[in-house]
Amino acid sequence: MKTASLSLRNLTRRPGRTWALVLLTGFLSLSLFAGSVVVMSLQSGLNSLEARLGADLIVVPKAAQSKASFQNIFLQGTVGAFYMDAELLDEIAATEGVAKAAPQTFLATLKADCCSSRLQVIGFDQQADFTVQPWIVQSSSRELGPMEVAVGSSISAGVGESIRIYQKSCPVVARLSATGTGLDTAVYCSMETMKTLLAAAEEMGVSHKVTADNSDGVISAVYVKVAEGADIDQVASSLASHPSWKTAVVQTRSMITGVSDGLAGVSSAVKVLIGAVWALAFVILLVVFALLMNERRREFAVLRLIGASRRKLARVILTETGLVCLLGGCLGVAVGAALVFPFTALIESTLNLPFLTPSWGRILLIAALSLAGTVLMGMLSSARTAWKLSRVDTGSILREGN
Amino acid sequence: MKKVSIPACFILVLSLLLAVGCATFLGPCAHEDGSVGACFWAGRALTGIGAVLAVQAVMALAVRSGRIRLGVYLSMLPAALFGLLTPGTLFSLCGMASMRCRAITQPAGMVLSGIIFVLACAGAVLDLKKNRKENP
Amino acid sequence: MILKADSISKRYFRPTGQANYFEAVKPLSLTLASGAVTVLMGRSGSGKTTLLHMLSGLLTPTSGKVLLDETDLYSLKDGALSCLRNEKIAVVPQGRSAVDTLTALENILLPWQLCRKNAPVERAEHWMEALGIAALRDVPAKELSGGELRRAAIARALCQETPVLMADEPTGDLDDENTRLALSILKDAAKRENKTVLIVTHESEARAFADEIWKMDGGTLHPEQ
């Protein structure tokens, strides 16, 4: 306790010096904490994208410009719609190597009154579906009834409220958990509801028909699960090459690869940045501690004179550094949290990558590790000085400057 | 010897950022059809709060008496709290989390107000301590 | 307690005329008795301070032993030697010797706070009073003048309550009046508390307070006639 109180007094009675060191170490923990949270959020964004995709192949009309436009809806929450004849579903399902085929129909609203923006509505077949349902089940155990919708996590309408789409009131029965992808800004409904909405849209002059004698209506995409043992590439090429379908096939694997490439780029940039900050900070701290301690040589010599052992002297120095780093570390984590968590939506749209903040437990873990790292770093950089100082001959320091 | 109160310097910078930012680069976007919504008015309110806080910071920097400065710091607290509650709580914002207003204006407004609140607390505590030391 | 130096010497590596070392203290033996004030005089550079540092356990001699009663100081490990310095040998060093961030009183109590329990605040105040610095009790050390710091260092050494007390130029920054005061307090402590006191100085006034006077010249010790 004696050394701790001496260290504490040294710190509180030199506030300028102490705060400068606190700020310096604060940068360390800020960079480590914020950087790690960003990298981990990108990783969990990718994981949730993988989990949400669920299908091996997605068949979309050629008009969807093959991948690009579909991918934008999926990843960035761009609002858009494209249609093909619903009858294609049966033919796709009958194709060799296809185990499951589930249709989805997209609808882009005009400005919906809930959100002062356009909405992406996605209708899915509740019987055939294998991609959306498992996700909805997490928040609502029952099927969506007529006109009922589930909303993505970015839409603020709560369960029990309703949103109006093309003049139709749709009660919200479930809010889905966040995925960090464009799916968070969409509204989900059954195929029956979608038919009603399409009709309502048509009444307002927005047409969705692809052929004049379309009886079963339209679909936008077919999610395909390839049969076990079948070659995904082969199934993809047979689906894409049908002469009269005018469809394109998106391989989810390549979509995920694309995202994970982007993620790898950002992650390594962040890691390099953290590394650079730490290397620089280590050198700066090393120099700063060396200078500060040198300035206090006499003070430490006096402590030796009145009976502080080398070990005790080193403990005084390390306690001081430890306390400074602890304070700086906490400050850095707090600032990092204030910089990252409120701005996740901004980061997501800037990076163009799925971004899902990790659970609180993991965030606390990152915070604790950043703190520990900062303290350790500070201790390490002052350890050399502490060691050197405690070896120096007390007598000669006391004679200096006389 | 009169020393400049450091928290007030930071508050001045941050409140100007709040006032100017929420009217410009941090502000909500205009609707395509030119109409304005709750987001727009929330941005205006934040600009106003930022301006008030900036004036208070100038006062805190200008006054010589530690007691008066303590009062100025204390009066900043409700204003900063108001800034913290404006986007989302007192003014409901647009429903889509990816919109500029929710992605930038709200977090920026809340973070800036929050930091100003903490700094005003720090300034008040420092002045309180100093006053106690000088007039025990 | 008896402090005995047994043919100690100190060499520093420094190229001189013939040799590549410089012998600051040539082999010498010395016994300091308790209850007596020993004054060590000599010109600057004669090796006084080096000898004091060796005797007080701060500087390992090149050869020889320093014995405090039966204990060979330099056979102890650092922890034990530091503890012994704290409890047995108080030193007033040359120059500033206060921790700047602490007040005068805190500095005086520091040896107690560092290694022992219950710091004797009243004893500290008593010595401050005696040395005429009672009013500086709560003044930070960095605001004290040279003379005030010197007296605070003497108070710290006295307050340490050790059987041995060594002072290196204890009157360096003091005026005549305070010089006499400090020396008489040291002498008094030696008599009343049976302390072993060694004063290194070139102040001739110290002779009047000495029980034994040694003179140092070029690293060798001579008793003064």
Side-chain angles (χ1 to χ4, degrees), chain A residues 1-3 5-6 9-11 13-14 17 298-299 301-312 316 393-396 398-399 402, chain C residues 49-50 53 58-59 78-79 82 85-86 91 93-103 106 110-111 113-117 142 156 160:
Chain A
M1 100 92 217
K2 301 284 149 63
T3 45
S5 77
L6 183 62
R9 275 184 292 189
N10 278 335
L11 292 176
R13 293 183 190 174
R14 286 280 176 90
R17 184 173 76 189
R298 205 173 167 84
E299 177 185 328
V302 170
L303 290 181
R304 289 281 283 147
L305 174 84
I306 59 175
S309 58
R310 288 195 183 114
R311 186 191 286 257
K312 191 158 244 169
V316 170
D393 164 28
T394 313
S396 62
L398 289 172
R399 298 179 77 151
N402 285 315
Chain C
T49 298
T50 305
H53 284 164
L58 287 169
L59 183 66
D78 179 66
S82 301
R85 270 204 306 272
N86 180 272
V91 179
Q94 272 181 44
R96 295 179 70 91
S97 69
V99 177
D100 282 347
T101 46
L102 304 181
T103 64
E106 284 168 339
L110 197 55
Q113 297 204 312
L114 211 56
C115 297
R116 300 181 242 175
K117 293 192 184 94
K142 62 180 169 214
R156 180 178 66 206
Q160 218 170 323

Side-chain angles (χ1 to χ4, degrees), chain A residues 97-242:
Chain A
V98 173
K100 289 183 196 168
Q104 286 191 356
T105 308
F106 299 162
L107 173 66
T109 70
L110 301 174
K111 200 175 88 178
D113 57 354
C114 79
C115 306
S116 349
S117 66
R118 298 176 72 199
L119 275 182
Q120 180 75 21
V121 188
I122 297 176
F124 63 98
D125 182 333
Q126 297 195 79
Q127 269 69 53
D129 173 79
F130 58 93
T131 59
V132 181
Q133 204 75 29
W135 182 27
I136 292 188
V137 167
Q138 292 171 8
S139 13
S140 162
S141 53
R142 64 184 186 84
E143 288 201 339
L144 297 176
M147 296 317 287
E148 287 178 343
V149 295
V151 296
S153 66
S154 291
I155 294 174
S156 58
V159 173
E161 294 173 35
S162 54
I163 52 179
R164 289 180 75 80
I165 301 169
Y166 288 115
Q167 306 291 345
K168 301 280 180 199
S169 173
C170 306
V172 175
V173 295
R175 277 176 61 82
L176 305 179
S177 56
T179 65
T181 66
L183 298 174
D184 288 342
T185 58
V187 173
Y188 300 84
C189 63
S190 67
M191 277 299 195
E192 290 66 40
T193 309
M194 181 51 86
K195 270 181 198 158
T196 318
L197 292 176
L198 282 172
E202 214 148 329
E203 264 172 46
M204 294 182 70
V206 187
S207 175
H208 300 283
K209 291 227 164 143
V210 278
T211 53
D213 57 345
N214 191 311
S215 55
D216 244 343
V218 289
I219 53 174
S220 301
V222 178
Y223 285 63
V224 170
K225 185 104 197 156
V226 171
E228 223 168 298
D231 180 32
I232 294 180
D233 292 323
Q234 213 165 1
V235 179
S237 67
S238 66
L239 285 173
S241 61
H242 200 283

Side-chain angles (χ1 to χ4, degrees), chain B residues 106-132:
Chain B
Q106 181 182 27
M110 290 179 75
V111 168
L112 287 174
S113 306
I115 298 175
I116 291 174
F117 188 87
V118 172
L119 285 172
C121 284
V125 169
L126 286 179
D127 272 339
L128 202 63
K129 265 182 153 175
K130 207 186 278 172
N131 281 339
R132 215 175 267 161

